[in-house]
Amino acid sequence: METSGKPRTMPPDGPPDGPPDWPPLVLCAQIPPGAETVTGNFSLRHAGQTIPIEVTVPAGPATHAQLLPILHGLCNASIARASAKSHGEGRAISCAAGCGACCRQAVPVTPTEARGLAALVAAMPDDRRAAVTARFAGAKAALAQAGIDRSPEMLDMTDMDARVRLANAYFGVGVACPFLENENCSIHPDRPLACREYLVTSAPALCAARTRDVDMVPLDIGVLNRLIETESAREATGRLLLVDALDWATANPAPPATVAGPALLMELVASLFNRPKD
Ligand code: SF4
């Protein structure tokens, strides 16, 4: 973890009721160069488990995008625990480099993730950015030609049947994610939460066929659906798909940061989990 500026400490919240169920996690937000930081500790109670966390965030006003690496870190730790448990039960994880079997699905992203992906693409070298944006354009053209309706009504947060119909139709077009290169995720460290939370032990062919027999590994911490709900309400938008992320982010630039990093983090934690102990 790299931070800059003068560290300060948020008051600890006291010891948890019993021994923690997780080893301590050390997580860090995205820190702008030269920014002052705050490092603090809190315990998360989630799904009956206690997770001790040390976290570093900007001391001054921060954006939701700057907190995204913290959720990625939580998710990564959850994946590592689920993978070890599954392996211990004799069910090896089949997700591996070179397997893009699941990367032709309609991938949901949150508004913050959409802006993060747009920033990632904008920061790419010219030739790479041109290739990726061309693949976005190709994917959208293929979906349009197939008559895949991604209008707000079809992406209604509450209509599960409509979402399933759209997901099936989208998958039927067979359009690859614009970030898929040689069946590898070209943005693996920055991939969306939906991709992180998709962890399977079944054969890749089942993912490629999108059958109901795919054996998903449950994660102790899965934040995507709750994050989609809270962010969509905050941004007054419907469900977003990765293929539309760049367009949405261009049309909806992030509002200026007004809330300090520690307060914004506690807001986010409270919206996603049981309240942190205080
Ligand atoms: S972002 Fe990466 S993991 Fe997710 S669908 Fe695209 S290529 Fe696959």
Side-chain angles (χ1 to χ4, degrees), residues 99-107 109 117 176-181 183-188 190-196 198 242:
C99 178
C102 64
C103 299
R104 287 164 180 81
Q105 301 198 33
V107 175
V109 294
L117 291 172
C177 172
F179 294 116
L180 190 66
E181 294 178 356
E183 295 304 306
N184 278 302
C185 177
S186 64
I187 58 161
H188 195 260
D190 300 298
R191 68 197 187 285
L193 288 160
C195 309
R196 290 168 201 265
Y198 191 95
L242 183 151

Side-chain angles (χ1 to χ4, degrees), residues 66-110:
Q66 285 174 307
L67 303 187
L68 204 46
I70 293 172
L71 295 183
H72 287 169
L74 265 176
C75 192
N76 291 349
S78 192
I79 290 169
R81 284 173 65 87
S83 300
K85 182 165 180 271
S86 186
H87 198 267
E89 294 168 349
R91 299 184 312 131
I93 302 298
S94 35
C95 304
C99 178
C102 64
C103 299
R104 287 164 180 81
Q105 301 198 33
V107 175
V109 294
T110 72

Side-chain angles (χ1 to χ4, degrees), residues 4-5 30-36 66:
S4 52
Q30 182 192 338
I31 309 293
E36 189 178 0
Q66 285 174 307

Side-chain angles (χ1 to χ4, degrees), residues 15 18 25 37 48 66 81 116 124 141 166 171 199 204 209 255 257 272-273:
L25 300 183
T37 61
Q66 285 174 307
R81 284 173 65 87
M124 288 175 176
L166 174 63
F171 183 72
L199 194 67
L272 294 176
F273 304 103

Side-chain angles (χ1 to χ4, degrees), residues 68 71 106-114 155-158 163 192-195 197 222-242 248 268 271-272:
L68 204 46
L71 295 183
V107 175
V109 294
T110 72
T112 296
E113 287 185 308
L155 294 167
D156 188 329
M157 298 291 296
T158 57
R163 274 165 50 188
L193 288 160
C195 309
E197 293 184 3
V223 297
L224 175 66
N225 287 330
R226 188 78 185 106
L227 192 64
I228 286 178
E229 274 177 33
T230 55
E231 287 204 356
S232 297
R234 186 184 72 228
E235 302 274 349
T237 184
R239 208 166 169 87
L240 293 173
L241 297 183
L242 183 151
W248 186 88
L268 177 67
S271 71
L272 294 176

